[in-house]
Amino acid sequence: MSIALQAVRLGCKEVCCAGQFSDALEDALDAVLELDDNLDVVTSSSSEEGEALEYFLFGAGGGDPDMDLVAVVENDSSLRHALVSLIS
């Protein structure tokens, strides 16, 4: 949560949550963003890492290939390994 909120403070306009607790994280993030009047920030969630990865690479930011994307994932996550293999 703190990483996502810091990213929003730095100008992030979309946060994609993935994994087992992604729905709860998205709900909590939405509540804080609403309290802070950051209603222009888009949030999404998926418990399926592959689905989240596909959205992150091809849907985030409207699929704009010139948009800067930043992924924050666990060191041993299969999502991180899949992401690294696609961008290498």
Side-chain angles (χ1 to χ4, degrees):
M1 173 69 96
S2 63
I3 292 170
L5 291 174
Q6 182 62 25
V8 168
R9 287 185 201 104
L10 293 172
C12 176
K13 293 297 181 193
E14 186 165 354
V15 178
C16 307
C17 306
Q20 183 179 5
F21 302 106
S22 60
D23 290 336
L25 177 57
E26 182 187 12
D27 290 344
L29 183 57
D30 283 342
V32 172
L33 291 172
E34 188 174 330
L35 286 174
D36 290 345
D37 202 29
N38 279 324
L39 302 177
D40 59 330
V41 177
V42 176
T43 63
S44 62
S45 64
S46 175
S47 60
E48 296 294 324
E49 289 184 342
E51 194 175 288
L53 177 61
E54 186 173 313
Y55 177 80
F56 175 75
L57 291 174
F58 306 112
D64 180 355
D66 295 324
M67 179 166 286
D68 292 332
L69 299 175
V70 176
V72 179
V73 296
E74 297 177 53
N75 282 337
D76 60 348
S77 170
S78 61
L79 180 62
R80 182 182 73 82
H81 295 297
L83 184 61
V84 167
S85 71
L86 287 171
I87 61 175
S88 295

